[in-house]
Amino acid sequence: MDSCDMDFLGEAITVARSSREHGNHPFGAILVDDSRHEVLRAENTVTTGRDVTAHAEANLVRLAWRTFTPEQLAGFTLYASTEPCAMCSGAIHWSRIGRVVYALSEEDLYVIVGSSPENLHLPCREVFARSVPSVQVEGPCPELDREARAVHAGFWR
């Protein structure tokens, strides 16, 4: 993970903050093309959209699939404020996005959230390990741990 990756992760965390300000869960995602230019961003809209599948990454995949070809997406990177859940990882696999980078791990998120029937403990690496073609995964990002956690502070309890 290089400084450019960390800059994009910082932007994903900014999107997560915006999502929270808009009344949704604090998750954000951005899509970066193979020239390292941001091309899309998406917030979580579960609450305002009344759709349990409207996670930031799933919303981003929907937009990306309408905008780019699978061949283009294979060279793109999805940056997520928090590790993609199993549902979003499946969507990323089917979209053929080639790389995922995330700031906060699912495990660390569940420590913040606490016990909940909504928790599905399945790290994205386990989903992507069965993905053909493979999806490259990097994360969590210790350098952004404090910032990634801060967006969740006080939200879940």
Side-chain angles (χ1 to χ4, degrees), residues 11-136:
E11 283 301 307
I13 294 167
T14 297
V15 175
R17 193 174 300 110
S18 178
S19 178
R20 182 175 177 169
E21 290 167 0
H22 292 132
N24 291 291
H25 299 145
F27 300 99
I30 64 169
L31 189 65
V32 174
D33 68 16
D34 53 0
S35 297
R36 297 192 109 170
H37 296 105
E38 181 182 330
V39 293
L40 293 172
R41 59 177 50 204
E43 296 180 6
N44 175 293
T45 57
V46 166
T47 303
T48 58
R50 298 194 41 81
D51 179 354
V52 297
T53 68
H55 294 189
E57 300 90 342
N59 288 340
L60 187 71
V61 165
R62 286 183 196 101
L63 292 169
W65 191 253
R66 291 181 196 128
T67 310
F68 301 101
T69 67
E71 294 77 21
Q72 288 172 305
L73 292 172
F76 287 15
T77 300
L78 186 151
Y79 291 89
S81 59
T82 303
E83 181 176 357
C85 72
M87 177 190 70
C88 291
S89 296
I92 292 163
H93 157 78
W94 285 305
S95 74
R96 301 194 188 126
I97 293 170
R99 182 172 177 244
V100 172
V101 181
Y102 63 87
L104 183 69
S105 74
E106 176 185 79
E107 183 178 313
D108 288 338
L109 172 67
Y110 289 152
V111 169
I112 295 167
V113 171
S115 181
S116 168
E118 294 180 15
N119 295 356
L120 175 60
H121 295 273
L122 183 59
C124 70
R125 278 184 174 81
E126 289 186 36
V127 176
F128 295 140
R130 291 160 177 79
S131 186
V132 176
S134 65
V135 176
Q136 181 185 352

